[in-house]
Amino acid sequence: MSAAARAAMPIAQGVAPCRRTVSRRRHHPSSRKDKRPPLRALSEPPKGETESKAELFLREELEREGVSVAEAIAPDTPEEIVEALEEEVQRLEEKELQLTSELDRAYSATFASLTVEVATGDDESRVISRKFPDINEASFKALSVEEPAVTDALLRAAQHGDQSVWLAFQRDAHRAKLQRDRVSAERIAAEAELAVARRGGGAVAAAAAAAKAKAEALRSSIGDDGSGLSTSDARRIVLISGFESFNVGLYRKAARNLARRCPNVELVVFSDRDIESDKEAVQAALDGADVFFGSLLFDFDQVEWLREAVDKIPTKFVFESALELMSTTSVGSFEMKPAPDGKKAGPPPAVKAILAKFGSGKEEDKLVGYLSFLKIGPALLKFVPGRKAKDLRNWLTVYSYWNQGGMENVEEAFAYVAREYLGASDSVVGEDSEPGGGLMGMLSGKKGPKPPKETPALGCYHPDIEAVGAPWPTSVGEYLEWYEREKAGSLPADAPTVAILLYRKHVITKQPYLADLVRGMEESGVKPVPVFINGVEAHTIVRDLLTTKHEQERRKMGYLDIDSLKPDAAVVDAVVSTVGFPLVGGPAGSMEAGRQAEVAQTILRAKNVPYVVAAPLLIQDIASWTQSGIGGLQSVILYALPELDGAVDAIPLGGLVKDDIYLAKERVYALAERLKKWTGLRRKSSSERKIAVMLYGFPPGVGATGTAALLNVPKSLERTLQTLRDEGYDLGDGPLPSGEALVDALRVLEDGPVIAGGHTSANAALDKLKAELEDEDALHGVSIAGEDVSPARLKQWLRFPDDWGPTEWGPMPFLPASDVLVRNMEKAWGPLESYNGLATVPGKGSFVAGLQIGNVFIGVQPALGVEGDPMRLLFERDLTPHPQYAAYYKWLQKEDGFGADAVLHMGMHGTVEWLPGSPLGKNALS
């Protein structure tokens, strides 16, 4: 995984507002750290106030750490307010000087080297050459007043000179001037507020003076300074949405709503795919942006490009993305970049004290704890009052909207940013808004911002709950109680219980595929337990809230493989993740390389049930999947990372069509069938399980059957059979057959006359071989297994259920007809009834034969191509497997054939790897 993809936010480092806290109050360590009483606040909230559970929890934890809650939430004293304002003015003055220096450098780089010819006095025929090696913004502005002809000449020379220099000047100087105007307005407002505070004026009067001064400063900044860089009151926010392009439509609708609420603010929305397909438009939008907003951005190249592209944007919100990009977060005085001394600046005492209380203390839980802190952050605002951490408060407020998701919350997040950081007026006042939303709300008499519409951080989804608008169950136990009450008798008694991890944002935005997925599982006889999460906490759900019969049995014996397992953990038979992230660490991990996979394997080993990754493709669209398979970053997410975690299977469930997610119905059924096979295998005793052992025979007919590079196949076969018997598998009674004799018997079945005679000839050939062997036990218990598969039977096996297609779930090219596989095969090989190619019994169909010992089948993998050209399919990728090849594997698979529970292939190579289709991303037509 690339460096940019290691998205981590170590909880020990915390968040980092660069401005130090003004308060000089001291907090003393608690003497009660080691002995923790039950959850109860040590002090009571002020009379007349009620506290939420989150606030109660925070109050208790702060007091345990020795932080005086009364002092923490106390209003700033007049002296502290003055001191804070003085520091604020100083910070803004320094920023203003920095931006002025940037402007001076831009003017110097553009005009200092130019020589212009200008007239002298009133005689325009007399011209002189003039240079301005020390020019800067102020001198250029003065020159434009005193000698406008000179600045006009300079501008013309720059415009007709090096275009890269001129374009850079327009971009950099324009952006720096806009930023400086905003900073200057904030400084003037802070100075006005400071003047009132020094006179002992109240907070309302100070806020009124600040608002008036800021408005006047912004109005006066609009105009042209002679350089052609006119400024206006228009402001721009640029949003780039990464691993959630399905939400782009929602964000663009929010942009239209924001334009109506805040007419001078433009929200420009891109997806990460636009960085590749329309980079110039993205760059142009970022060049003039006042605010950058990024979410779920992980691609290394994109992150590196964005870090440079957004560097000059003054306000940046970056959530749930690569650490390298999140570290660019800058919201007023609150930043996440390292402090000048190389260390992370510490958060306010209340934040610092509470931050360590989230998470289990395990390394892999740090990011989970950090996001838990963010989710409870709004409650923490009560303990970070006033001017002490204004920008931290604003950052937490915006995140609370963003994390809750949905149209109203997203719109409110950007409206809040526009009001707080772009000086925009908002025409909308929510009916359900909380009163007293900040000083400006008090002054205007208007209500404050709407509170976020909340969805639990963790809950259980079901389309029946969604349909009636009922609250989501917030625990697995609550969901299972609901399921037993509402869905009793809807599934077979032995239906496997499967936990399905869903991406919370998909639930919030009501993605239609979720209902299709859950109902498809139920239709297939699987009991779903869909748990929606943010992504980074997936491992804690599997580790702590889910358990298995295997884990429970080990705990009864005294083995505690998981020390954090909850007493009410739900018993499941399998776990499916659809979130598209690694099990540990979320989108791109939160630990050093290799450690997160090690932790994932430890968790899955303790559960010892199948872990399957099955997700819609959110990076690659359906068209490219069906045409070329799955590749690039999508293959890493769906195959490589899950394999490192310990997933036993990976299944693409659907994908993107433009910005919408569609499900492939047959993939859901395929997932359900595989889960039933996995759980059925666990429930079967060893003696009931059926195993197929396949040997390789290439090239066919030349004595290569039962050979493999660097492997003694006969001896390996003997040891495998002995191990299976030792493990309780049924291999009949008496001595086991010899490996050499088994290979000889398989070679007999490859003879042309035996194939032509079908199973009658096969049985006779085996009897003859047994009679010729000196060791009568060499083939003890061995019999012929298989059948002459008729064309009608093969068609039946290849046909899908009629209700599997054509699909009604969006523009999916799968299953245009239930007999599509038969049609494709007959197009390539002719009518099955008249096919007489490889391994065909005249008049009877395909010859499928091998050896059986108890519940173990031993066969030779069918040849891949046609007679005389055994590798034809390697080069003709549009062909299907020939009829006998398909019949052989269908007979192994189907219950009315052999019904194998598992297939073991001996040898490095085989013919399956050369079949037509894509290496990754199989579908029903593969």
Side-chain angles (χ1 to χ4, degrees):
M1 174 82 41
S2 67
R6 295 192 303 271
M9 182 56 61
I11 200 164
Q13 294 177 340
V15 293
C18 287
R19 186 182 58 180
R20 67 180 177 84
T21 303
V22 173
S23 174
R24 294 183 294 274
R25 299 167 183 138
R26 297 185 178 181
H27 306 295
H28 302 285
S30 171
S31 60
R32 307 181 61 178
K33 267 188 180 179
D34 298 329
K35 193 172 182 180
R36 297 176 63 88
L39 179 62
R40 182 177 61 81
L42 305 182
S43 66
E44 298 300 325
K47 288 186 178 182
E49 291 190 21
T50 58
E51 290 188 319
S52 67
K53 291 181 179 179
E55 290 173 334
L56 184 67
F57 169 77
L58 288 166
R59 176 182 288 276
E60 182 201 47
E61 294 298 343
L62 288 169
E63 290 174 335
R64 291 191 194 288
E65 291 298 315
V67 176
S68 169
V69 174
E71 291 185 358
I73 65 175
D76 293 340
T77 65
E79 292 79 11
E80 288 173 332
I81 292 174
V82 168
E83 184 178 354
L85 285 168
E86 288 173 343
E87 287 196 358
E88 181 77 354
V89 170
Q90 181 181 350
R91 183 184 70 83
L92 292 169
E93 285 175 342
E94 291 171 356
K95 183 66 174 176
E96 199 171 353
L97 287 172
Q98 176 191 334
L99 291 167
T100 297
S101 296
E102 289 183 17
L103 274 167
D104 289 342
R105 286 194 294 272
Y107 275 85
S108 178
T110 306
F111 302 111
S113 61
L114 298 179
T115 301
V116 294
E117 304 290 331
V118 294
T120 61
D122 297 329
D123 187 357
E124 296 185 0
S125 62
R126 292 183 59 193
V127 296
I128 61 172
S129 298
R130 296 183 65 178
K131 293 188 68 173
F132 301 88
D134 299 322
I135 196 166
N136 57 23
E137 185 207 10
S139 62
F140 187 97
K141 190 171 184 179
L143 191 63
S144 70
V145 174
E146 297 169 1
E147 300 182 71
V150 176
T151 53
D152 288 345
L154 284 170
L155 289 169
R156 284 195 301 272
Q159 290 170 6
H160 293 91
D162 188 330
Q163 287 300 295
S164 63
V165 173
W166 175 246
L167 292 173
F169 170 73
Q170 288 202 309
R171 180 187 66 243
D172 298 341
H174 183 68
R175 180 163 50 193
K177 189 174 188 309
L178 285 173
Q179 292 180 30
R180 190 185 60 182
D181 290 345
R182 180 182 61 81
V183 171
S184 178
E186 290 181 0
R187 174 185 55 78
I188 291 169
E191 288 173 343
E193 191 173 358
L194 175 60
V196 175
R198 282 173 172 165
R199 294 197 302 269
V204 173
K212 182 178 179 182
K214 185 174 183 179
E216 290 176 353
L218 288 172
R219 280 195 297 272
S220 66
S221 69
I222 300 171
D224 190 335
D225 65 355
S227 65
L229 299 175
S230 61
T231 57
S232 71
D233 58 350
R235 296 291 183 261
R236 179 187 299 162
I237 304 172
V238 175
L239 164 65
I240 300 182
S241 169
F243 201 63
E244 52 171 345
S245 59
F246 54 87
N247 271 335
V248 165
L250 180 149
Y251 297 150
R252 286 178 177 151
K253 185 176 179 181
R256 292 192 293 270
N257 292 346
L258 181 67
R260 287 191 288 268
R261 293 178 60 168
C262 306
N264 294 326
V265 176
E266 174 190 26
L267 173 60
V268 184
V269 179
F270 296 101
S271 76
D272 57 346
R273 290 184 291 174
D274 294 321
I275 298 176
E276 307 300 328
S277 62
D278 198 4
K279 183 175 284 188
E280 290 185 2
V282 179
Q283 180 71 71
L286 291 172
D287 283 345
D290 300 278
V291 178
F292 170 69
F293 207 106
S295 175
L296 291 171
L297 296 162
F298 299 102
D299 180 88
F300 176 80
D301 293 330
Q302 292 179 355
V303 167
E304 288 299 297
W305 181 80
L306 279 171
R307 287 177 65 191
E308 182 177 349
V310 306
D311 182 58
K312 298 296 184 181
I313 299 176
T315 304
K316 295 182 280 286
F317 293 86
V318 185
F319 296 127
E320 298 166 354
S321 297
L323 176 59
E324 291 82 351
L325 195 58
M326 289 178 67
S327 66
T328 66
T329 294
S330 177
V331 182
S333 61
F334 170 71
E335 295 182 333
M336 284 189 179
K337 67 182 180 182
D341 59 2
K343 297 180 180 179
K344 283 280 187 179
V351 180
K352 191 173 183 180
I354 206 65
L355 194 55
K357 298 301 177 182
F358 295 90
S360 63
K362 295 182 172 67
E363 181 190 1
E364 61 268 25
D365 291 354
K366 284 181 178 179
L367 190 54
V368 177
Y370 173 71
L371 290 182
S372 298
F373 161 73
L374 290 181
K375 290 167 184 57
I376 206 171
L380 182 61
L381 298 181
K382 176 176 180 177
F383 304 104
V384 190
R387 188 167 289 278
K388 293 175 183 175
K390 179 190 70 173
D391 293 309
L392 170 61
R393 287 165 55 85
N394 289 343
W395 179 75
L396 284 169
T397 300
V398 172
Y399 183 79
S400 68
Y401 285 120
W402 187 255
N403 177 64
Q404 291 302 329
M407 172 58 68
E408 291 188 39
N409 289 326
V410 169
E411 180 184 327
E412 202 62 40
F414 288 113
Y416 188 88
V417 170
R419 291 192 302 269
E420 292 294 319
Y421 292 99
L422 301 180
S425 58
D426 188 347
S427 62
V428 173
V429 179
E431 292 299 323
D432 56 347
S433 299
E434 294 178 344
L439 288 175
M440 292 310 297
M442 278 197 305
L443 292 170
S444 64
K446 294 183 178 180
K447 295 180 179 180
K450 292 182 180 180
K453 290 204 168 183
E454 295 190 0
T455 300
L458 180 149
C460 293
Y461 169 88
H462 195 281
D464 289 358
I465 299 175
E466 183 179 46
V468 298
W472 302 117
T474 55
S475 71
V476 177
E478 183 184 348
Y479 169 84
L480 290 174
E481 289 178 6
W482 171 87
Y483 203 93
E484 293 303 317
R485 184 174 64 252
E486 301 293 332
K487 310 285 286 184
S490 60
L491 292 171
D494 61 348
T497 300
V498 177
I500 306 174
L501 303 181
L502 304 178
Y503 191 29
R504 179 172 169 271
K505 281 196 173 183
H506 292 184
V507 174
I508 292 172
T509 54
K510 299 181 179 180
Q511 295 296 320
Y513 87 88
L514 296 173
D516 299 337
L517 172 61
V518 172
R519 296 205 189 283
M521 299 288 276
E522 290 176 328
E523 291 169 13
S524 301
V526 172
K527 181 179 180 180
V529 182
V531 183
F532 60 80
I533 58 175
N534 284 288
V536 299
E537 67 272 53
H539 69 286
T540 66
I541 306 304
V542 177
R543 184 189 66 198
D544 302 340
L545 303 185
L546 303 176
T547 187
T548 63
K549 291 179 180 178
H550 169 84
E551 185 177 29
Q552 291 301 308
E553 289 169 0
R554 283 184 57 81
R555 292 176 78 86
K556 288 177 183 177
M557 294 186 290
Y559 299 103
L560 301 181
D561 301 311
I562 300 294
D563 59 9
S564 54
L565 184 70
K566 302 300 182 185
D568 59 347
V571 178
V572 298
D573 297 300
V575 178
V576 174
S577 175
T578 72
V579 297
F581 301 150
L583 182 63
V584 178
S590 60
M591 306 173 71
E592 63 183 65
R595 278 283 293 137
Q596 64 192 50
E598 179 184 330
V599 172
Q601 292 162 19
T602 299
I603 294 170
L604 296 176
R605 193 178 298 117
K607 306 301 174 180
N608 197 26
V609 294
Y611 171 63
V612 177
V613 173
L617 310 180
L618 299 181
I619 297 176
Q620 193 172 341
D621 59 25
I622 285 176
S624 62
W625 168 30
T626 55
Q627 293 167 10
S628 308
I630 293 174
L633 181 58
Q634 187 71 73
S635 68
V636 174
I637 291 172
L638 188 59
Y639 291 95
L641 294 178
E643 185 175 348
L644 292 174
D645 283 346
V648 299
D649 210 346
I651 302 174
L653 294 179
L656 291 173
V657 177
K658 295 184 179 179
D659 292 324
D660 297 318
I661 303 173
Y662 286 95
L663 218 60
K665 191 173 184 181
E666 54 85 15
R667 289 292 84 196
V668 178
Y669 291 145
L671 168 63
E673 291 303 313
R674 291 193 200 184
L675 290 169
K676 289 194 292 185
K677 285 282 188 179
W678 277 110
T679 55
L681 185 61
R682 166 61 59 83
R683 293 172 180 178
K684 281 185 177 180
S685 64
S686 297
S687 62
E688 296 175 307
R689 296 172 185 167
K690 291 185 175 183
I691 307 296
V693 180
M694 301 298 290
L695 309 186
Y696 193 32
F698 181 82
V702 294
T705 297
T707 62
L710 306 178
L711 181 69
N712 186 326
V713 174
K715 284 296 183 184
S716 299
L717 191 54
E718 288 179 9
R719 292 188 179 182
T720 299
L721 296 177
Q722 184 61 57
T723 301
L724 287 171
R725 172 173 279 183
D726 293 344
E727 293 291 331
Y729 287 79
D730 179 8
L731 282 99
D733 300 321
L736 291 173
S738 101
E740 292 289 354
L742 288 170
V743 171
D744 288 341
L746 291 171
R747 289 173 178 169
V748 166
L749 298 181
E750 292 180 324
D751 289 345
V754 173
I755 293 173
H759 267 259
T760 301
S761 296
N763 281 296
L766 179 62
D767 291 341
K768 180 182 177 183
L769 179 61
K770 285 182 177 180
E772 294 172 351
L773 292 173
E774 295 182 3
D775 183 358
E776 61 182 16
D777 291 333
L779 289 174
H780 176 80
V782 176
S783 61
I784 295 293
E787 66 175 277
D788 301 329
V789 179
S790 68
R793 190 164 174 77
L794 179 56
K795 285 183 177 182
Q796 177 189 352
W797 282 346
L798 291 176
R799 186 183 181 92
F800 293 106
D802 289 336
D803 61 354
W804 278 34
T807 176
E808 67 274 20
W809 293 6
M812 298 294 295
F814 300 133
L815 305 181
S818 57
D819 63 346
V820 60
L821 296 183
V822 176
R823 294 185 187 186
N824 290 348
M825 183 172 286
E826 291 191 325
K827 181 180 179 181
W829 305 97
L832 296 186
E833 289 77 10
S834 59
Y835 176 75
N836 195 29
L838 278 176
T840 301
V841 183
K844 293 185 177 180
S846 299
F847 180 68
V848 176
L851 308 175
Q852 187 164 348
I853 314 154
N855 278 342
V856 176
F857 172 86
I858 305 172
V860 179
Q861 195 172 45
L864 188 61
V866 297
E867 207 73 58
D869 190 0
M871 294 301 286
R872 179 178 172 185
L873 285 180
L874 176 60
F875 303 103
E876 297 193 29
R877 306 292 286 173
D878 292 335
L879 282 178
T880 71
H882 57 75
Q884 188 263 351
Y885 196 104
Y888 203 113
Y889 276 99
K890 283 296 181 182
W891 181 83
L892 288 178
Q893 176 189 9
K894 294 293 184 179
E895 291 298 331
D896 56 347
F898 179 67
D901 292 300
V903 177
L904 171 66
H905 179 87
M906 284 196 172
M908 180 183 296
H909 290 292
T911 56
V912 170
E913 64 187 283
W914 305 115
L915 287 176
S918 303
L920 296 175
K922 300 300 182 187
N923 56 58
L925 304 184
S926 299

